[in-house]
Amino acid sequence: MKRLPLLAILIFGIVSISFAQKSVTPLPVDDTYAFGQRYLVYALPQTAFQVEVTVTKSHAFRGMYADYAEKLLGMSQPITADKVSYSLKSLRINTIEIPDTACLYAVELSSQQLKSGLYSEMLMKRNEAGHEQPTADYHPDNLQIPEFVRNYSGLAYMERSDNYVETQIVDGVVRQIPATRTQKVAKTDAQSAQEAADQIGKIREDRYALLAGSQEVAYSAEALALMIDQLNQMEQNFLSLFSGFVVDEELHYTVTVVPDSNTTRMPIFSLSPTAGFSDNPSKPGETYYLSMQPAPESTAATRFDVSWRCSKGHKPDQGYRVRIPAAAHISVEVGIAHVMDLGERFIYQWGKIDTLPLGRQKIGLETIGFIIY
């Protein structure tokens, strides 16, 4: 579930539990650090992009009678060799939040919080929420070969009749009697292809007869449409024996990328027409990039903030660290071509880390970060 932007949480005062901390210490600490009784450790959030990619893997299969496609049916471009190609079907990108282990803080609990069981309660919330970063995932659909092609087998043998004269002796009289000998012989590919082509011709004749009303039968419109559809499908089945056929398979991938604080364009994945998907892009022309353009900041507000922090008597706070996300315009590109626009999204690691006053009440630790332990 997506979190609300942290700024909105602070503005509207969304609270979950009173947590009056004794101290908040950035990790790691050196050997001179004086430890207290009990600590909770939390990490600030960072933004990651979860990319769901659907790839179409097209399997082109050569027809078993492809060598006779032009001669018997006039097909000029049948599939002459099995091959595989890949293309992008869909792309979906969501923003999620994951722990930033470079920004860890130890919160020392007060004695009252320990007595109230807050430590155990926070650990339970950590276990319920979970904070494992999603990993790359892949799963294919099953390849469905057309049933007609899978089960088709033309008659491999045919009967051949040979005429000859048989000599018989009956009552001492020699007679020459005509006879016929029938035997089964294997068909050639050319003969099998001709039979399949003849079937296509017969289907076309039957369809024409139905459309022309040659049978003088008053079929209903529904029955006529059904028969025509069936004949069309039969024709396509036999044509695929010559032209070949293509079976599309869907491949689904999920990969998560985490932008750093300095990069405005980062590779996500690559898709080659011949090699397919890779989450380790190498060729720029086949690589999809995440383009992130920071939203302009208010110069006046920035100057005021700097002046305030540098003013005489200003004392830095030492309580919770919170991260305010920065807005950025996100788009996707392949090579240098624009693919899609994701609009404005918040990126935590591009924002600034603020420090709240020590001992601040009514703020839930799980609303500002991830409880580690």
Side-chain angles (χ1 to χ4, degrees):
M1 182 176 66
K2 294 177 61 177
R3 296 169 179 262
L4 293 174
L6 180 57
L7 188 57
I9 294 176
L10 298 179
I11 290 176
F12 291 103
I14 298 177
V15 298
S16 61
I17 185 169
S18 177
F19 198 96
Q21 73 284 1
K22 289 181 64 177
S23 66
V24 179
T25 305
L27 298 181
V29 296
D30 57 31
D31 295 338
T32 62
Y33 182 77
F35 289 94
Q37 294 185 55
R38 183 74 70 174
Y39 291 84
L40 284 172
V41 175
Y42 76 98
L44 292 181
Q46 62 178 337
T47 301
F49 292 89
Q50 191 174 59
V51 185
E52 299 176 6
V53 186
T54 301
V55 175
T56 299
K57 183 178 181 181
S58 297
H59 301 258
F61 294 93
R62 181 183 185 275
M64 63 177 66
Y65 303 139
D67 292 340
Y68 307 94
E70 185 174 4
K71 177 182 178 181
L72 297 179
L73 298 175
M75 292 183 179
S76 59
Q77 294 181 332
I79 299 173
T80 57
D82 294 350
K83 60 182 179 180
V84 175
S85 61
Y86 300 85
S87 60
L88 181 69
K89 181 176 182 180
S90 66
L91 180 63
R92 181 179 179 183
I93 301 179
N94 297 315
T95 53
I96 60 174
E97 293 175 22
I98 61 175
D100 187 349
T101 55
C103 295
L104 295 174
Y105 300 91
V107 181
E108 183 180 2
L109 304 182
S110 66
S111 57
Q112 183 178 359
Q113 291 168 338
L114 291 174
K115 290 179 181 179
S116 67
L118 182 61
Y119 181 76
S120 300
E121 183 180 345
M122 288 294 101
L123 293 186
M124 287 293 292
K125 289 189 176 183
R126 177 204 65 179
N127 294 335
E128 292 173 1
H131 52 259
E132 292 297 327
Q133 179 175 340
T135 56
D137 179 46
Y138 154 77
H139 61 93
D141 289 340
N142 294 325
L143 186 64
Q144 299 293 333
I145 302 296
E147 184 177 356
F148 176 83
V149 176
R150 187 171 63 249
N151 297 328
Y152 178 81
S153 59
L155 293 176
Y157 297 91
M158 64 179 181
E159 291 186 348
R160 186 178 67 187
S161 298
D162 296 325
N163 297 321
Y164 66 99
V165 176
E166 185 178 85
T167 300
Q168 297 182 358
I169 300 176
V170 180
D171 298 331
V173 179
V174 178
R175 297 180 179 180
Q176 301 291 328
I177 300 175
T180 301
R181 179 173 53 208
T182 302
Q183 60 180 343
K184 289 185 176 181
V185 295
K187 291 181 182 178
T188 64
D189 287 344
Q191 290 170 328
S192 297
Q194 184 63 63
E195 286 189 356
D198 292 341
Q199 284 288 345
I200 294 173
K202 180 65 168 59
I203 291 170
R204 291 172 177 174
E205 290 176 0
D206 292 343
R207 182 173 56 208
Y208 177 80
L210 282 173
L211 293 173
S214 303
Q215 298 176 336
E216 299 183 356
V217 178
Y219 293 113
S220 66
E222 293 79 6
L224 184 62
L226 178 61
M227 288 186 289
I228 295 298
D229 286 344
Q230 291 177 339
L231 288 171
N232 289 341
Q233 184 60 55
M234 290 174 61
E235 180 182 12
Q236 290 302 315
N237 289 339
F238 277 99
L239 284 172
S240 67
L241 300 177
F242 294 87
S243 65
F245 59 95
V246 177
V247 178
D248 288 336
E249 176 186 9
E250 281 192 5
L251 307 179
H252 304 273
Y253 302 88
T254 302
V255 62
T256 301
V257 292
V258 183
D260 58 37
S261 58
N262 300 315
T263 303
T264 58
R265 192 172 189 260
M266 64 180 301
I268 316 172
F269 66 92
S270 66
L271 183 62
S272 166
T274 55
F277 177 92
S278 173
D279 57 2
N280 186 22
S282 57
K283 296 182 179 180
E286 299 173 349
T287 298
Y288 286 74
Y289 295 89
L290 199 66
S291 177
M292 301 161 285
Q293 300 302 321
E297 296 183 356
S298 170
T299 304
T302 302
R303 288 178 178 174
F304 178 84
D305 183 67
V306 172
S307 299
W308 171 67
R309 294 179 187 277
C310 297
S311 62
K312 184 178 181 180
H314 177 269
K315 295 181 179 180
D317 295 319
Q318 296 179 343
Y320 288 126
R321 272 62 165 185
V322 295
R323 179 173 259 169
I324 310 298
H329 186 86
I330 311 297
S331 60
V332 178
E333 301 168 349
V334 56
I336 59 174
H338 179 80
V339 175
M340 64 187 299
D341 198 327
L342 302 179
E344 190 174 84
R345 303 289 177 94
F346 289 99
I347 302 180
Y348 273 100
Q349 53 270 40
W350 282 18
K352 63 179 181 178
I353 298 176
D354 277 347
T355 305
L356 303 181
L358 189 64
R360 182 182 176 93
Q361 302 285 332
K362 294 185 177 181
I363 183 169
L365 188 59
E366 71 278 8
T367 67
I368 62 174
F370 292 84
I371 301 173
I372 304 300
Y373 63 83

